[in-house]
Amino acid sequence: MYSNEEYLLELLAEAGLVMDSDLQKAKSTKKPTETLLECLIKTGVVSDEQVAQTVAVNSGMEYIDLHGFAAAPHLKTLVPMEVAQRYKIAPIGMNGPALQVVVADPYDFETLDSLPHVLQPDLEIFCSTHALIKTLQANIYGNEVFGDVGSKTGGSTSDGDAPVIKLVNNILLEAFKSGSSDIHIEPLEKDLRVRLRIDGVMHDVEHHPKRLHSSIIARIKIMCGTMSVDEKRIPQDGRIQMAFNDKELDMRVSIIPTNNGESVVMRVLDKSSLRLGLSDLGFLSDDQDTFEKLITLPDGIVLVTGPTGSGKTTTLYACLNFINRPDRKIITVEDPVEYELAGINQVMVKEDVGMTFAAALKAMLRQAPNIIMLGEIRDYETASIAIQASLTGHLVFSTLHTNDAPGSVARLADIGVKPFLIASAVRGILAQRLVRKLCSNCKEPTSLSERELRHLGLEASQLYNASIMGPKGCNKCRSAGFKGRMVIAEIFKVDDEVRNMINQQLTTPQLRKRARELGMRTLREDGIRKVLAGMTTAEEVIEATMADAD
């Protein structure tokens, strides 16, 4: 209720408003969720007004009696609702250029220091009671409740809301409607640019006057709830949870200082991806059967590889959904935990307190899990523990940053894992990329150009019975011709022959050549199949598999 309640109780005792007997009685009768001061006010020992007046006198701040007070409607454009709720304040008027606000706790120095940065430097601050300030907030802002900052938040606005609130909400709503994965708010030299990443492609959607930059950044920081509004020199990270049209919108927020001001990237965490099955990811039936057999083995390591943004985490979640049953204990170690998975124990890496991937993995093995998901194998210690876990009866899922599946063997060897351990532990490796899917509503028949045939290594005769399709554009895909993305995959099964090759320390090209002889389909070959099936375009596959041109 008050930031320095112990000191305030001393002030009330000195003023003769609270006796020692009152304190003793309050200690014995207060509820566990109550403070002593709240109990004293509830039982009538001291009134809320007396407390506020005592605080005001001792802080040198003027007390304002807000009973029946009516603030001018335009003031809520100067103090956004989220600012009023977060800092427990209310605007009461203007004195020339100075904005007048009322607070309940003059000892909350963090709030007093932040307000000039959040609102305006020229402020006059007064004191009143918590209850009267809440009543005034309700009178000013009506029933439009956005909820606590940083929690689930309503997305509706009214004509009286501050322009910056509307602007930010509209940006988020547009991102939600368009299915964006990222929102980029970037200060340029003369203006402010907003870009959305939709199906992996950046789109320039809005430009705003540079003067709005600081207000927009402050609004986003307030929505996160954990960021310092007045700190502009260092990177900050946070999270926003909102609700638009009864759907939850969850965003991971990163703010970094640039030469033109603070730049924001908001990663939209689409919870619908938690319900994806392997077939939803874009696997064709034969690859899906092969991969399902790998992820239902009783032990060993299954790796998913690819560059950042290739959908590795979504694939791992789909694997866990597929094998998650009540008779299995599954634990994950992630950095960070982006989604909460029902029925699965999730651990977040916190390196600042020593909770590294390796430390978490060691601890989780004492929890007797059947299945372990490790967000990433980064070093020898983590790899060593994961391999030992797989060799002692656990099924381990993890990721690596390699360009192709056979290259993962060399990557593990580079960080110090012995070849015989790799051969013994690894059961299979999936390399993947994401390509855009053609919009099923508007795609239309087309043909491949000579250039596309050459890049894909196809002859015209191979196109017999193919269903080559191209993008057109419609309302459902926002005229893009594409809607959503899917996986193109390369599955490297580690069988007895491959184990022998790993033990012989064959090079990655030798492993790759032999794996293809044994039937492994490359990323480009899987992409070609999906082009011929009319699922995506040749350009998408060529661009995603430039390193696989052989």
Side-chain angles (χ1 to χ4, degrees), residues 12-13 16-24 40 45:
L12 294 172
L17 297 172
V18 175
M19 306 298 178
D20 287 343
S21 58
D22 297 322
L23 289 173
Q24 295 303 319
L40 291 168
V45 174

Side-chain angles (χ1 to χ4, degrees), residues 116-226:
H117 301 281
V118 177
L119 298 173
Q120 64 180 56
D122 199 355
L123 286 176
E124 292 182 2
I125 302 177
F126 301 87
C127 179
S128 193
T129 71
H130 286 89
L132 290 173
I133 290 174
K134 282 187 176 181
T135 301
L136 182 56
Q137 286 177 336
N139 290 337
I140 295 173
Y141 301 103
N143 294 322
E144 303 156 26
V145 178
F146 279 76
D148 291 336
V149 175
S151 66
K152 293 177 183 177
T153 310
S156 62
T157 59
S158 75
D159 292 339
D161 287 337
V164 169
I165 295 176
K166 284 185 175 180
L167 176 58
V168 173
N169 280 349
N170 286 338
I171 292 171
L172 302 184
L173 183 57
E174 176 63 22
F176 177 74
K177 287 180 176 178
S178 63
S180 304
S181 60
D182 302 282
I183 306 166
H184 297 251
I185 301 177
E186 304 160 322
L188 305 179
E189 184 179 357
K190 295 182 179 179
D191 64 356
L192 185 67
R193 178 174 65 179
V194 179
R195 294 194 290 172
L196 302 179
R197 190 185 299 277
I198 304 172
D199 293 335
V201 178
M202 293 286 278
H203 296 267
D204 198 337
V205 294
E206 294 178 13
H207 283 257
H208 298 286
K210 188 69 176 285
R211 59 183 171 79
L212 295 178
H213 173 251
S214 60
S215 298
I216 290 173
I217 299 300
R219 161 71 172 149
I220 292 170
K221 289 180 176 180
I222 290 168
M223 293 176 74
C224 288
T226 57

Side-chain angles (χ1 to χ4, degrees), residues 1 23 37 44 48 88 94 110 131 187 198 241 259 279 353 397 442 446 526:
M1 186 176 183
L23 289 173
L37 185 56
D48 204 3
K88 299 180 178 63
M94 298 291 298
E110 182 178 350
I198 304 172
Q241 291 179 294
N259 60 324
S279 59
V353 295
F397 294 95
C442 68
T446 188
D526 187 46

Side-chain angles (χ1 to χ4, degrees), residues 417-455:
V417 181
K418 301 296 183 184
F420 76 92
L421 289 175
I422 300 172
S424 300
V426 178
R427 298 289 182 262
I429 304 167
L430 168 73
Q432 68 177 56
R433 301 290 188 276
L434 293 178
V435 295
R436 291 186 293 173
K437 292 191 293 185
L438 284 164
C439 174
S440 59
N441 186 63
C442 68
K443 64 182 179 180
E444 57 184 7
T446 188
S447 58
L448 297 180
S449 67
E450 288 296 326
R451 171 187 168 279
E452 290 171 335
L453 288 170
R454 185 174 64 255
H455 275 286

